Amino acid sequence: MPKKRSAPTVPKNPLEYTDPKFWHDFHNIRQDFEWYGTLNDHFQVFEKKIKPTDAILNIGCGTSQLEFQLSEKGFHNITNIDVDEDVLKKKRTQAAKLLDSQMVYDCCSADNLPYEDNRFDAVIDKGTMDALLPVESVPENCRVFVNKMLSEIFRVLKNQGHYILVTLAQKQILKELYDFTNNNPNLVVRVVPNEIKQDDKFVSTVVIDIVKFPRSFPSIPNWRLSVENRVVEKTRDEICGILDSFFQLSRFSNMCKKRLEHLVTITLSLNIPEYEDSDVKVTVADTEKHRNTIKTHHFIIVPPDSFDKIYNRSQSVFQSMPSLLKVDRVVILEFPFDDVDIARSFVNNFADHFSSSDCEGRPVIATLSPEENSTTIASGTGEICGGYFVVESICDDKTFRRLYFKSSSNIIQSECTIGKTDSGEVRFNHQELCCNYQSAMVSAFGFVPGGFAEVQSRGWNIAVLGVGGGSLISFLHATLPKATITAVEIEPELFNIAHEYFGMPNDDRVKCVTMDAMEWLKDVNSGVYDMLFIDISNPKEQIDEKHVLYGPPPAFVTEDSIKKMKGHLTSHGCLFMNIISSSKKYLNVIQREVAVLFKYILSATVPELAVNNNYILFATCEKPGKPSTENIPSTLLTYQSLSKTFTQVELGVYKEPKGESKK
């Protein structure tokens, strides 16, 4: 008896998906396969868009049982099309056996539909467009076909009808839909990430619902994103970024179904109204004992550090947790807030994503205890910053000295590591940055023409607006031996703290200016610099209906203020800006303002464990260099790898200055 052939679900060449012959062979062998799940996996989205009385067109039905699953839920007026007549014959026979006489099957191509205008209330496409555009580099005739197909779909669709596309939402799919809807402003799009489970694996499907209106509505955003029953307006790039995170979570979750050989980490957007645009960092540690199954799990919540509570976040501690707790797996979640109830709710909702296939019982949830080796060595009150604390903490045999403001005690304002000399005197390690955002700022040196080696060898003139505990200034002083630095700070007490408790140098290479940074920018006599670092924020102000740190304050990111910053830079000068925000919209606003005056912009996201995020922006009018490891001093080698996190921002709004002489 001949052995039954099995059709490959994934062909060797993805372009085979565009060939009707592949599908003919596939359908002859695989008649029980559902691409992207069943109707039940998506019905919570579908039922909001279609009614049982609707006339529905099912594009590229193949051997999917979608129309019969709809019929079971009371939808009977369904027309199904495919280019394979053999498949349709089998479907007609199946419909007759089910006594579903209203089911229609037509053999035709989606780019030339044989129906009158405004015929259908809904058009459903489960995977057909994905098959037509399987990769970014498809032949041009595939794109032409898809464009004709979309035109035909919206021709036969009634006004206020829905085109419902179940897709993996790859870049080429989104681009085609963006281009088409931009040319047809009467179409309104809602994107709904809809993760499904097949054979204990997570599959990141997306339901895209496009509604046809008789006219365009300028007040309605063309594209919207639906997450957790909330609809929000997003740009194309923002939607792509959110979907990328959505896909990464599914891949990460599938990896966690088996035993892990080492620590794995992912950063997720919380999508919680109180902390929108904030992230949680998830680390999964499995027992080092060789076990085939991972059954027992604990989930550990880690709140943010504060001046009186410091948490040990070292990898060695995380890796040792399964052994200490005598379980197979520990999932550590580092939250940007100390609301344990919200954190527990998040864990309960997502526990399955970080659990193995062999997980037994409900998740055990606990909160990490803070380090006991923390001591407040100084405190006081500044005229501007208010109350402050200087704390020493020991983690992983390292002693950290940290500055906190009482108004935002969960955020480290400045940090350095210290040691002791043989005589017991404090020794500051100024050649190492502890704060993630400062490390990211310094990593942008890789984009300065000549890179890290050039930065260290030349006598740069640098201005830093915002001192804190002086850790960035101390680092620049230690690693750039020929540089001169002007430090500008409105709070006089911070200079005292920086010198006394953080060892900030006080020599002829560092000039300390006690002055409002805005007044310094306005003063043309403040000088001209090769590098300008902006690291300022208000202690706390209400932005986006939240009391959070925000920086730079809005007054510093107007076109006039950016122009003043550029006025203090040489023609080859570089701007480094630390942006703190509870919303990425603020970053987008700043990027657009800076892009008007600076030809090249790069930005990076720095996940900080606070109620907000850090973004680093690098801007210059000279073409950025490409970061290289060649000739990098050992003191800067650590920071070179971080330059890979930067992406170039291209907004097309730069205004070439006319008749401007180079300084």
Side-chain angles (χ1 to χ4, degrees):
M1 186 174 180
K3 191 174 181 180
K4 187 177 180 180
R5 293 178 299 155
S6 62
T9 307
V10 180
K12 292 181 179 178
N13 183 353
L15 287 176
E16 289 183 45
Y17 283 127
T18 66
D19 186 354
K21 186 179 183 305
F22 168 83
W23 292 107
H24 180 80
D25 294 342
F26 182 90
H27 292 144
N28 277 337
I29 300 168
R30 296 291 299 272
Q31 299 180 20
D32 59 345
F33 191 82
E34 282 289 349
W35 294 90
Y36 308 165
T38 67
L39 176 65
N40 285 336
D41 292 315
H42 307 288
F43 195 65
Q44 77 276 12
V45 181
F46 277 43
E47 65 180 343
K48 298 174 183 177
K49 318 296 179 188
I50 56 177
K51 305 186 297 293
T53 55
D54 284 348
I56 298 172
L57 175 64
N58 182 20
I59 298 278
C61 62
T63 55
S64 168
Q65 299 297 293
L66 177 64
E67 67 267 32
F68 300 114
Q69 294 160 5
L70 282 166
S71 179
E72 289 175 0
K73 294 184 181 292
F75 297 84
H76 299 292
N77 188 3
I78 305 173
T79 299
N80 307 274
I81 68 166
D82 203 284
V83 293
D84 192 334
E85 179 60 37
D86 290 343
V87 167
L88 296 177
K89 285 179 181 178
K90 294 174 183 176
K91 282 294 192 74
R92 293 186 190 107
T93 301
Q94 185 179 358
K97 289 180 180 178
L98 295 173
L99 302 178
D100 203 333
S101 59
Q102 293 186 60
M103 203 74 75
V104 175
Y105 292 93
D106 290 331
C107 187
C108 64
S109 178
D111 69 334
N112 187 20
L113 298 174
Y115 310 113
E116 67 272 17
D117 296 357
N118 304 309
R119 163 81 178 274
F120 297 99
D121 299 286
V123 177
I124 297 176
D125 173 350
K126 187 159 81 82
T128 298
M129 185 180 289
D130 283 20
L132 294 168
L133 298 174
V135 291
E136 289 188 65
S137 56
V138 295
E140 183 60 26
N141 65 301
C142 292
R143 297 192 184 281
V144 171
F145 183 96
V146 168
N147 198 269
K148 287 182 178 178
M149 181 184 82
L150 290 171
S151 296
E152 283 290 273
I153 285 171
F154 289 104
R155 178 183 65 79
V156 303
L157 193 63
K158 295 178 183 178
N159 286 323
Q160 298 187 39
H162 295 261
Y163 170 44
I164 303 171
L165 170 66
V166 182
T167 173
L168 297 183
Q170 293 173 296
K171 289 181 180 178
Q172 64 272 17
I173 301 293
L174 293 177
K175 182 183 185 305
E176 203 67 33
L177 292 175
Y178 268 114
D179 291 345
F180 188 85
T181 54
N182 284 344
N183 292 327
N184 295 273
N186 63 316
L187 303 178
V188 175
V189 185
R190 180 178 292 186
V191 180
V192 187
N194 186 45
E195 188 178 60
I196 67 173
K197 228 177 168 184
Q198 286 185 309
D199 301 325
D200 200 38
K201 295 286 186 181
F202 291 97
V203 180
S204 300
T205 63
V206 177
V207 180
I208 298 179
D209 171 38
I210 307 180
V211 184
K212 172 185 172 182
F213 288 97
R215 60 185 179 86
S216 60
F217 294 91
S219 61
I220 298 178
N222 195 230
W223 280 69
R224 292 176 289 176
L225 182 76
S226 180
V227 181
E228 303 289 335
N229 295 318
R230 294 182 297 120
V231 179
V232 290
E233 178 186 352
K234 294 288 182 182
T235 66
R236 168 181 170 173
D237 290 342
E238 286 174 334
I239 288 177
C240 287
I242 291 169
L243 291 180
D244 280 344
S245 299
F246 172 62
F247 300 145
Q248 286 174 19
L249 173 59
S250 292
R251 290 193 292 269
F252 185 86
S253 301
N254 291 332
M255 181 173 60
C256 290
K257 290 301 171 187
K258 297 180 180 179
R259 183 183 182 279
L260 303 169
E261 297 297 329
H262 52 78
L263 290 178
V264 294
T265 300
I266 188 171
T267 300
L268 303 174
S269 295
L270 283 167
N271 289 321
I272 298 173
E274 299 94 319
Y275 301 99
E276 190 172 0
D277 291 327
S278 293
D279 297 330
V280 57
K281 183 180 177 183
V282 182
T283 303
V284 182
D286 280 354
T287 177
E288 294 179 327
K289 296 179 180 178
H290 294 288
R291 294 176 181 168
N292 293 327
T293 58
I294 301 293
K295 294 184 177 181
T296 53
H297 297 55
H298 276 196
F299 290 78
I300 304 297
I301 294 169
V302 184
D305 290 347
S306 63
F307 70 91
D308 59 347
K309 292 180 182 178
I310 309 296
Y311 298 89
N312 194 332
R313 306 171 189 275
S314 69
Q315 289 197 348
S316 59
V317 169
F318 287 176
Q319 187 62 74
S320 67
M321 283 186 177
S323 176
L324 292 171
L325 297 173
K326 297 181 179 179
V327 293
D328 297 332
R329 171 172 291 176
V330 175
V331 182
I332 304 103
L333 301 101
E334 300 175 70
F335 285 93
F337 49 76
D338 52 12
D339 190 324
V340 176
D341 290 337
I342 292 180
R344 282 179 171 272
S345 176
F346 180 89
V347 172
N348 283 319
N349 289 336
F350 282 87
D352 191 36
H353 285 77
F354 312 121
S355 300
S356 72
S357 299
D358 305 305
C359 178
E360 296 178 344
R362 294 177 59 81
V364 176
I365 305 173
T367 302
L368 186 67
S369 298
E371 288 284 302
E372 295 182 1
N373 298 327
S374 296
T375 307
T376 299
I377 62 170
S379 62
T381 304
E383 296 175 17
I384 309 297
C385 69
Y388 66 84
F389 303 84
V390 179
V391 177
E392 275 189 15
S393 304
I394 300 175
C395 289
D396 267 3
D397 298 326
K398 278 188 175 182
T399 301
F400 293 85
R401 188 168 283 186
R402 292 163 173 159
L403 171 66
Y404 296 89
F405 292 158
K406 193 173 182 180
S407 59
S408 50
S409 60
N410 64 328
I411 297 174
I412 300 172
Q413 300 294 332
S414 200
E415 181 178 25
C416 70
T417 56
I418 62 171
K420 294 287 179 69
T421 64
D422 292 339
S423 60
E425 293 181 357
V426 173
R427 183 182 68 252
F428 297 94
N429 180 9
H430 289 323
Q431 294 194 336
E432 176 186 5
L433 287 169
C434 299
C435 290
N436 290 343
Y437 84 87
Q438 290 181 340
S439 297
M441 288 181 98
V442 169
S443 74
F445 283 162
F447 303 110
V448 175
F452 287 88
E454 180 72 8
V455 167
Q456 193 178 50
S457 64
R458 284 181 55 183
W460 301 92
N461 192 14
I462 302 172
V464 180
L465 307 192
V467 170
S471 52
L472 177 60
I473 294 159
S474 298
F475 176 86
L476 295 173
H477 182 275
T479 56
L480 309 183
K482 297 180 181 180
T484 55
I485 305 160
T486 297
V488 182
E489 174 58 56
I490 191 174
E491 172 60 78
E493 183 67 11
L494 287 179
F495 280 122
N496 297 330
I497 295 169
H499 290 309
E500 184 174 353
Y501 297 106
F502 291 87
M504 191 179 89
N506 190 13
D507 58 23
D508 57 1
R509 288 177 52 215
V510 178
K511 178 183 178 182
C512 296
V513 179
T514 304
M515 189 176 185
D516 185 324
M518 180 58 74
E519 295 304 315
W520 185 90
L521 284 173
K522 291 178 181 178
D523 188 351
V524 294
N525 296 316
S526 293
V528 178
Y529 300 85
D530 302 298
M531 298 180 185
L532 176 59
F533 286 79
I534 308 294
D535 187 13
I536 49 181
S537 62
N538 284 351
K540 254 192 181 181
E541 62 178 271
Q542 184 161 344
I543 306 280
D544 293 348
E545 299 179 352
K546 303 172 188 175
H547 288 280
V548 294
L549 269 175
Y550 223 77
F556 282 83
V557 291
T558 63
E559 183 177 351
D560 184 59
S561 295
I562 302 295
K563 190 178 293 185
K564 288 180 172 59
M565 292 177 193
K566 187 178 181 182
H568 287 293
L569 286 170
T570 62
S571 59
H572 60 266
C574 302
L575 176 68
F576 302 75
M577 186 181 292
N578 176 33
I579 300 169
I580 311 169
S581 173
S582 60
S583 169
K584 202 167 185 177
K585 287 182 180 178
Y586 194 51
L587 169 67
N588 296 334
V589 169
I590 295 174
Q591 286 181 160
R592 191 161 191 86
E593 292 291 351
V594 174
V596 173
L597 295 163
F598 288 84
K599 193 170 185 178
Y600 302 99
I601 297 177
L602 295 101
S603 69
T605 301
V606 185
E608 293 284 359
L609 297 171
V611 184
N612 40 59
N613 289 330
N614 278 82
Y615 309 96
I616 303 304
L617 183 144
F618 171 84
T620 182
C621 285
E622 285 203 356
K623 188 174 182 179
K626 292 185 178 180
S628 168
T629 56
E630 189 175 344
N631 298 322
I632 293 184
S634 58
T635 52
L636 294 175
L637 188 60
T638 305
Y639 306 97
Q640 188 274 339
S641 61
L642 287 174
S643 60
K644 297 176 184 177
T645 64
F646 281 80
T647 56
Q648 190 152 338
V649 180
E650 297 180 0
L651 297 175
V653 294
Y654 174 68
K655 297 177 182 177
E656 192 78 46
K658 296 179 181 179
E660 185 177 277
S661 60
K662 290 192 175 184
K663 297 181 179 74

